[in-house]
Amino acid sequence: MRLARWLVRVEDGYKANPYHNKVHAADVLRSAHVLLTRGGCAGAQAPDDLTQLAVYLAAIVHDYEHRGVTNDFLVRTGDALALLYNDRSPHENHHLAASWGLLVEYNFLRGLPVASKEQLRRMVIEMVLATDMKQHFSVH
């Protein structure tokens, strides 16, 4: 029941914009599920249960409360999200922080050991931050 309530709250957080909406989130979740269960990565080993959960959670929340504008727009206009996250992936950081706050509120992972929760959180963070396409072209 906690999971179902969390899912409804996350779905409600997807705005009715042309692309970053709940249909897009459902499509990403379905696509991730197909890749995890039917393959798609030649020779890859099937992920463990915690990694699978991380993939599903990341797919679900990856555009939570997206405003329908780019990160560059947020930075150029001095938006509060850009200021809060120091101009670094403001949308993605918000998707993570806001949705994880809901996860804590609904606490459907309460039976998971602390070390597993920490690992899960790290994986979800990495996956969602990787959805900022600008980071794919940065030089470190």
Side-chain angles (χ1 to χ4, degrees):
M1 196 60 140
R2 291 173 188 259
L3 172 60
R5 288 184 182 135
W6 179 79
L7 287 167
V8 168
R9 283 286 302 276
V10 170
E11 182 180 25
D12 288 345
Y14 274 88
K15 312 233 186 279
N17 64 56
Y19 184 74
H20 300 97
N21 54 48
K22 60 187 171 186
V23 173
H24 168 67
D27 183 48
V28 170
L29 176 60
R30 183 196 55 75
S31 296
H33 175 71
V34 169
L35 287 172
L36 287 173
T37 59
R38 300 214 175 123
C41 301
Q45 180 179 346
D48 60 77
D49 290 344
L50 193 64
T51 302
Q52 260 189 291
L53 178 59
V55 169
Y56 291 146
L57 291 176
I60 291 166
V61 306
H62 83 280
D63 276 335
Y64 177 70
E65 293 185 342
H66 198 289
R67 297 181 184 176
V69 297
T70 65
N71 282 331
D72 283 339
F73 177 83
L74 296 176
V75 171
R76 281 194 323 268
T77 59
D79 187 87
L81 283 183
L83 297 174
L84 179 63
Y85 297 113
N86 300 309
D87 299 341
R88 295 187 184 198
S89 305
H91 267 130
E92 290 73 17
N93 277 295
H94 175 74
H95 305 323
L96 286 160
S99 64
W100 203 267
L102 288 179
L103 194 144
V104 170
E105 179 183 339
Y106 287 92
N107 198 21
F108 64 86
L109 298 173
R110 66 189 176 283
L112 205 58
V114 171
S116 295
K117 281 184 192 173
E118 290 170 353
Q119 184 181 1
L120 177 70
R121 180 165 161 72
R122 282 192 303 273
M123 287 190 286
V124 171
I125 288 170
E126 289 302 314
M127 289 177 206
V128 174
L129 287 178
T131 67
D132 181 359
M133 294 305 291
K134 186 174 186 177
Q135 301 310 315
H136 293 237
F137 306 104
S138 65
V139 177
H140 297 281

